[in-house]
């Protein structure tokens, strides 16, 4: 099934009924999750509609829990959260403020934060999350935990693609894990508010979106090597449908040009919907996200944390470069001598990789539990994998439609004045090398880094060589 894209990104993101029709017509329709997002309001001034919307959706006449962090947010009429609370009260709706995180706006979606937030929301008639990625992730998790408490999300920056799905990134024993939570009943994206957000947040959204040029190739690879059969062409098609135009207009993100901002926001929404319908983050999350999660795990409390999308953007360039390297080596016969290490070989490596971060061993335990499953599948498929080289040329031809060149990704980041090098984000050399070399040891998901490792071309000297190559494009460290 080929899906045409006559609509603008914003029109497509608002038309959930149209998207449901498209997904129902997909060949893999039976394997997709229903698109459970209740509605998308996207455009200038939509935040003015929050009070009637909340009045319509809330469970009873009790208070509404407004969940937010301490960051002041600019809107046309003043501070956004104060304006939203005032509009609700003026409509006769009681508001309970649930403020999360510390003065530095440092929030972790960990078990303690969720428990406290759930207690603070108990008995509320609706949860209204107002913020960027983590706050809305917490809103989705609260709504799930509180028996489907209605949830309206007011997105305040185009910082990530995770607003429009039913998944939240939560911290489990210090490790970031994507967890199924609940779709929002409404997603409000006021493009005036987004344009007033700090520009680095919107630049980070561009960075997160660059993974759309690398992650789908990882997902297709996972199918090729017998790790995961869930690849959905229609989810990938939707996630990628408007990304080219965002890259072409990337300089408009820097200038807060209304059209560029709306286009970016809508493309992120479509990417989020694709992840929700796929039932997994794979349409927008691959190797670059694994490595980014390791960088996050290595961040020290009290030091400034680079934005998720900023890291993903810089890492997508490296992922595109590793894909180019793997394809070149595979064409030269590199699939004829794949490695099949056993659990006894790998378990000490995985545990050692995380031992310096967490001497208690809990983090290593959590990562090994996930990695062991991937390794077991790899070894179980060894008979078929020894003939992988025969199936590679057809797969390689498909990759042309999924990957972008590192140069194109660097050019888009530069046009938006977004960071291209990891050290610009405050990531130290040694940390970056560690995260690149060990990202594949963190979870169950198979990516190009796993294949490179099993081909014997992803050890420490290979990481260094890739970084040297990246420096020639202006990226890397
Ligand atoms: Zn992301």
């Amino acid at each position: 099934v080929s899906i045409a894209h006559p609509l603008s990104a914003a029109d497509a993101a608002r038309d959930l009924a149209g998207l449901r029709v498209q997904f129902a017509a997909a060949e893999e329709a039976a394997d997709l999750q229903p698109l459970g997002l209740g509605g998308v309001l996207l455009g200038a001034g939509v935040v003015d509609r929050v009070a009637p919307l909340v009045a319509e959706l809330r469970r009873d006449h009790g208070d509404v829990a407004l969940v937010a962090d301490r960051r002041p947010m600019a809107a046309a009429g003043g501070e956004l959260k104060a304006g939203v609370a005032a509009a609700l009260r003026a409509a006769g709706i009681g508001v309970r403020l649930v403020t999360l995180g510390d003065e530095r706006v440092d929030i972790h979606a960990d078990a303690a934060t969720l428990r406290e937030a759930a207690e603070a929301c108990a008995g509320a008639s609706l949860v209204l999350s107002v913020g960027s990625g983590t706050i809305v992730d917490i809103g989705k998790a609260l709504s799930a935990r509180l028996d489907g408490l209605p949830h309206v999300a007011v997105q305040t920056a185009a910082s990530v693609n995770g607003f429009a799905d039913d998944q939240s990134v939560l911290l489990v024993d210090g490790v970031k894990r994507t967890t199924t939570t609940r779709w929002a009943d409404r997603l409000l994206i006021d493009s005036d508010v987004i344009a007033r957000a700090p520009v680095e947040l919107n630049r980070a959204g561009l960075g997160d979106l660059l993974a759309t040029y690398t992650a789908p190739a990882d997902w297709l690879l996972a199918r090729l090597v017998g790790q995961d059969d869930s690849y959905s062409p229609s989810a990938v098609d939707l996630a990628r449908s408007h990304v080219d135009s965002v890259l072409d207009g990337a300089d408009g993100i820097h200038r807060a040009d209304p059209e560029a901002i709306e286009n970016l926001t809508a493309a992120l929404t479509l990417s989020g919907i694709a992840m929700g319908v796929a039932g997994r983050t794979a349409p927008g999350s691959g190797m670059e996200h694994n490595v980014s999660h390791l960088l996050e795990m290595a961040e020290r409390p009290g030091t400034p944390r680079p934005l998720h999308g900023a890291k993903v953007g810089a890492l997508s360039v490296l992922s595109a470069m590793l894909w180019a390297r793997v394809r070149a080596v595979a064409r030269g016969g590199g699939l004829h001598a794949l490695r099949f290490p056993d659990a006894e070989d790998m378990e000490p490596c995985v545990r050692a990789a995380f031992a310096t971060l967490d001497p208690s061993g809990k983090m290593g335990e959590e990562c090994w539990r996930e990695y062991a499953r991937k390794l077991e599948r790899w070894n179980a498929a060894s008979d078929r994998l020894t003939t992988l080289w025969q199936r590679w040329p057809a797969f390689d031809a498909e990759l042309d439609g999924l990957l972008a060149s590192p140069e194109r990704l660097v050019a888009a980041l530069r046009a938006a004045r977004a960071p291209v090098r990891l050290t610009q984000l405050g990531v130290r050399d040694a940390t970056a090398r560690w995260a690149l070399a060990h990202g594949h040891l963190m979870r169950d998901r198979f990516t190009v880094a796993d294949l490179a490792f099993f081909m014997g071309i992803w050890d420490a000297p290979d990481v260094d060589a890739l970084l040297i190559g990246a420096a020639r494009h202006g990226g890397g460290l």
Side-chain angles (χ1 to χ4, degrees):
V1 176
S2 79
I3 297 172
H5 304 291
L7 301 172
S8 74
D11 285 340
R14 283 184 285 248
D15 183 17
L16 298 183
L19 293 176
R20 288 190 184 101
V21 170
Q22 283 185 17
F23 283 121
E27 260 175 62
E28 73 279 21
D31 300 323
L32 299 175
Q33 306 298 312
L35 202 182
L37 188 60
V40 173
L41 284 78
L42 168 62
V46 298
V47 79
D48 295 342
R49 285 148 70 184
V50 71
L53 201 62
V54 165
E56 174 199 328
L57 291 169
R58 66 181 170 152
R59 205 176 247 180
D60 51 41
H61 293 284
D63 286 355
V64 165
L66 195 166
V67 176
D69 62 26
R70 294 170 200 274
R71 189 197 318 267
M73 292 162 187
E79 205 282 327
L80 175 69
K81 286 169 289 185
V84 166
L88 292 171
R89 289 185 178 123
I93 300 169
V95 179
R96 184 191 306 182
L97 296 176
V98 179
T99 305
L100 303 178
D102 59 20
E103 268 69 35
R104 297 193 316 276
V105 200
D106 211 10
I107 307 178
H108 295 277
D110 54 19
T113 303
L114 280 177
R115 197 168 46 239
E116 281 167 34
E119 280 165 18
C121 292
S125 61
L126 179 142
V127 59
L128 177 64
S129 61
V130 181
S132 52
T134 305
I135 285 291
V136 173
D137 270 2
I138 290 173
K140 289 188 280 190
L142 290 171
S143 168
R145 182 181 286 215
L146 299 168
D147 302 320
L149 183 65
H151 174 213
V152 173
V154 177
Q155 176 180 337
T156 58
S159 49
V160 290
N161 63 355
F163 296 97
D165 63 16
D166 60 343
Q167 291 151 29
S168 299
V169 179
L170 306 176
L171 273 174
V172 179
D173 285 340
V175 182
K176 293 219 165 184
R177 291 288 178 221
T178 302
T179 309
T180 299
T181 50
R182 189 173 172 274
W183 301 85
D185 294 279
R186 291 292 185 281
L187 174 60
L188 262 74
I189 313 167
D190 190 323
S191 42
D192 274 350
V193 171
I194 307 285
R196 286 167 207 266
V199 66
E200 62 270 21
L201 289 174
N202 296 337
R203 285 180 184 132
L206 172 69
D208 207 21
L209 207 51
L210 294 193
T212 317
Y213 288 97
T214 55
D218 287 343
W219 195 14
L220 190 64
L221 172 67
R223 187 177 75 178
L224 177 76
V225 299
Q227 287 276 337
D228 175 4
D229 281 337
S230 67
Y231 185 81
S232 162
S234 59
V236 168
D237 191 53
L238 180 71
R240 296 178 58 100
S241 54
H242 294 276
V243 180
D244 278 331
S245 74
V246 174
L247 263 65
D248 294 342
D251 64 317
I253 296 167
H254 167 69
R255 291 183 280 106
D257 168 67
E259 201 182 324
I261 292 293
E262 188 167 284
N263 202 28
L264 168 66
T265 311
L268 287 165
T269 302
L270 293 171
S271 166
I273 289 172
M275 297 194 297
V277 169
R280 48 188 41 78
T281 55
S285 168
M287 172 198 166
E288 70 302 313
H289 273 75
N290 281 359
V291 178
S292 156
H293 290 326
L294 257 63
L295 293 179
E296 281 156 25
M297 282 152 60
E299 283 160 12
R300 292 148 206 240
T303 57
R305 298 192 294 147
L307 293 163
H308 166 78
K311 284 176 284 202
V312 168
L315 290 168
S316 294
V317 174
L318 296 172
S319 181
M321 291 188 63
L322 183 57
W323 262 113
R325 166 107 178 107
V326 161
R327 293 175 80 183
V329 174
R331 274 183 223 122
L335 296 172
H336 287 272
L338 293 170
R339 303 200 284 206
F340 296 95
D342 52 30
E344 289 71 46
D345 294 329
M346 289 307 294
E347 183 173 349
C349 300
V350 175
R351 291 185 186 276
F354 300 99
T356 44
L357 272 194
D358 176 18
S360 83
K362 266 177 126 178
M363 201 181 263
E365 175 71 30
E366 163 72 14
C367 293
W368 170 246
R369 189 164 56 229
E370 290 265 322
Y371 185 81
R373 289 202 287 265
K374 177 162 69 177
L375 182 67
E376 200 179 314
R377 284 194 299 268
W378 176 258
N379 285 324
S382 61
D383 280 354
R384 263 182 71 71
L385 290 168
T386 49
T387 58
L388 178 64
W389 59 273
Q390 294 171 345
R391 299 183 294 283
W392 186 265
F395 172 76
D396 188 70
E398 271 192 80
L399 289 176
D400 286 332
L402 293 179
L403 293 165
S405 70
E407 291 87 345
R408 178 154 164 72
L409 304 184
V410 168
L413 290 170
R414 286 221 170 116
R417 315 284 201 278
V420 185
R421 292 183 293 108
L422 290 166
T423 47
Q424 284 176 288
L425 297 168
V427 177
R428 297 189 307 180
D429 280 31
T431 308
R433 287 173 209 275
W434 167 79
L436 281 161
H438 298 105
H440 64 109
L441 302 180
M442 178 229 178
R443 65 181 183 184
D444 194 10
R445 179 167 300 172
F446 198 92
T447 74
V448 64
D450 289 288
L451 181 61
F453 178 74
F454 292 132
M455 288 167 76
I457 58 167
W458 198 232
D459 296 310
D462 306 298
V463 172
D464 289 345
L466 193 86
L467 288 168
I468 289 167
R472 282 199 288 273
H473 295 296
L477 294 177

